[in-house]
């Protein structure tokens, strides 16, 4: 060991983006599986997955697609496969939660509060299909709904399914929501928190805000939590990864959150983003881990 273990999570395709934003975004189940396996080979311990309608690329919560993707990745590598319960525009909490109750993954995302989630500022490219332009524009009116009733219900469903939540917090108030759930006996500790910064409608992907949110989490949870940082956009993705490595956190990269590998170059794959992030780890005395070492770091059982 050259330092404290670090887990890299790769967010493979996303639900709040459209495929016309970049040809690198995987769409079909085969493409998502292929990209997830390659991200794992590049060093990602966790692959975070959404699914898309194969014909159009529209974000979907279809259970058949989730089953195909989860099984496909599981057959080909030992990554922790972490489906989303975040969904996309127009999906209900019941749609979004079904992947947890039906597929019983070892881990899944759990969004900790409601907020505006705007992607209408994304550049509208001529090659985008009509639905893609409409999808981006529709987010001027979109509220990412995660009410207290939703949070309570989702907490029960995760427990029943035996899935570990990754608590996604986008702003400081979401940490207080999580503390409230803990006080209600709805959180098993240590909780795993993902600081997702840089969404239009929530907090910014700056070092100052990550430090503020991390410090708030320490105040609320002491040292009884593990955490990771996901910067949305470029260079936020890599700036937050570097800061998180310095502060002892884990990291998340991937095409869901950012499409650039450098200021001048669009990423050609998820693996490329993982590789770049992984070069930072040894420089900052962190030891990348995958497989059962990664599971141990998160308090998960060993792989089946
Ligand atoms: N789309 C990201 C900004 C989830 O899938 O549950 C946040 C996310 C949450 O990945
Ligand atoms: Zn996601």
């Amino acid at each position: 060991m050259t330092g404290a273990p670090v887990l890299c999570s790769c967010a493979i395709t996303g639900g709040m983006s459209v495929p016309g934003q970049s040809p690198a975004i995987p769409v079909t189940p085969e493409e998502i599986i292929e990209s997830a396996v390659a991200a794992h080979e590049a060093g990602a311990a966790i692959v975070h997955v959404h699914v898309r309608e194969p014909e159009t690329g529209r974000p979907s919560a279809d259970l058949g697609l989730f089953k195909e993707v989860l099984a496909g990745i599981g057959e080909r590598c030992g990554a922790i496969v972490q489906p989303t319960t975040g969904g996309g525009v127009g999906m209900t909490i019941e749609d979004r939660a079904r992947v947890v109750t039906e597929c019983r993954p070892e881990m899944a995302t759990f969004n900790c509060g409601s907020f505006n989630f705007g992607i209408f500022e994304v550049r509208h490219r001529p090659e985008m299909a009509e639905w893609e332009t409409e999808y981006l524009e529709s987010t001027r009116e979109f509220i990412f709904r995660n009410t207290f009733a939703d949070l309570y219900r989702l907490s029960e469903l995760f427990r029943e399914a035996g899935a570990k939540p990754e608590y996604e917090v986008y702003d400081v108030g979401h940490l207080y929501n999580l503390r409230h759930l803990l006080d209600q006996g709805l959180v098993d500790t240590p909780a795993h928190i993902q600081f997702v910064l840089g969404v239009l409608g929530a907090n910014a992907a700056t070092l100052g805000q990550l430090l503020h949110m991390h410090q708030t989490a320490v105040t609320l949870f002491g040292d009884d939590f593990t955490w990771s940082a996901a910067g949305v956009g470029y260079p936020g993705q890599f700036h937050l990864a570097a800061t998180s490595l310095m502060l002892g956190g884990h990291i998340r990269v991937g095409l869901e959150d950012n499409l650039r590998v450098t200021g001048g170059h669009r990423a050609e794959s998820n693996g490329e983003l993982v590789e770049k992030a992984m070069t930072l780890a040894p420089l900052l005395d962190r030891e990348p881990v995958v497989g059962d070492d990664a599971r141990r770091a998160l308090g998960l059982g060993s792989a089946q």
Side-chain angles (χ1 to χ4, degrees):
M1 273 276 177
T2 56
V6 59
L7 295 159
C8 179
S9 174
C10 185
I12 302 296
T13 184
M16 292 301 289
S17 61
V18 294
Q21 286 174 242
S22 164
I25 295 175
V27 169
T28 65
E30 296 74 26
E31 288 168 357
I32 294 170
I33 294 165
E34 195 63 46
S35 189
V37 171
H40 177 63
E41 282 165 1
I46 301 176
V47 290
H48 167 69
V49 291
H50 293 242
V51 289
R52 296 178 181 273
E53 287 175 6
E55 305 76 28
T56 62
R58 184 186 281 276
S60 164
D62 183 87
L63 203 52
L65 291 172
F66 266 124
K67 284 185 176 161
E68 189 177 345
V69 166
L70 267 49
I73 301 170
E75 275 161 22
R76 291 192 41 198
C77 72
I80 298 166
V81 188
Q82 181 203 70
T84 183
T85 63
V89 175
M91 298 177 202
T92 65
I93 190 74
E94 293 301 325
D95 287 339
R96 287 163 43 191
R98 211 159 285 132
V99 67
V100 172
T101 51
E102 300 281 331
C103 299
R104 299 184 172 261
E106 52 188 330
M107 198 178 202
T109 57
F110 183 117
N111 291 276
C112 289
S114 301
F115 57 102
N116 295 334
F117 199 132
I119 52 170
F120 53 86
E121 283 198 330
V122 163
R123 188 145 67 88
H124 293 35
R125 294 171 176 271
E127 65 269 27
M128 281 179 183
E130 205 177 312
W131 78 264
E132 296 184 270
T133 309
E134 283 169 14
Y135 194 87
L136 297 173
E137 275 302 309
S138 74
T139 63
R140 290 182 191 275
E141 291 283 355
F142 180 58
I143 298 168
F144 186 28
R145 180 197 150 129
N146 298 286
T147 62
F148 281 111
D150 294 339
L151 303 184
Y152 277 49
R153 179 80 188 118
L154 212 49
S155 300
E156 287 167 10
L157 295 174
F158 267 78
R159 273 211 178 136
E160 278 165 31
K164 182 175 175 90
E166 176 184 275
Y167 293 103
E168 315 290 302
V169 296
Y170 302 77
D171 219 330
V172 188
H174 299 164
L175 288 165
Y176 289 87
N177 293 352
L178 182 58
R179 178 68 225 190
H180 172 77
L181 296 179
L182 181 68
D183 292 340
Q184 299 303 306
L186 293 169
V187 174
D188 296 318
T189 57
H192 183 60
I193 298 175
Q194 183 77 260
F195 297 105
V196 185
L197 301 186
V199 172
L200 180 63
N203 210 343
T206 63
L207 273 53
Q209 291 309 319
L210 178 61
L211 288 170
H212 174 48
M213 288 187 64
H214 176 253
Q215 191 49 51
T216 305
V218 170
T219 306
L220 292 171
F221 307 110
D223 59 4
D224 202 16
F225 70 103
T226 55
W227 65 279
S228 170
V232 176
Y234 186 91
Q237 178 155 99
F238 295 106
H239 285 187
L240 260 55
T243 313
S244 184
L245 287 166
M246 288 189 273
L247 292 175
H250 302 295
I251 61 176
R252 164 166 142 170
V253 294
L255 293 166
E256 171 166 350
D257 302 335
N258 161 51
L259 300 170
R260 294 199 171 272
V261 69
T262 66
H265 288 97
R266 282 147 67 88
E268 284 178 17
S269 68
N270 277 299
E272 200 182 358
L273 296 171
V274 173
E275 266 167 33
K276 177 171 172 176
M278 283 290 108
T279 60
L280 296 170
L283 298 176
L284 297 165
D285 293 319
R286 301 293 301 275
E287 170 84 13
V289 291
V290 294
D292 285 344
D293 290 335
R295 287 180 172 83
R296 253 189 304 282
L298 291 171
L300 292 169
S302 302
Q304 302 303 313

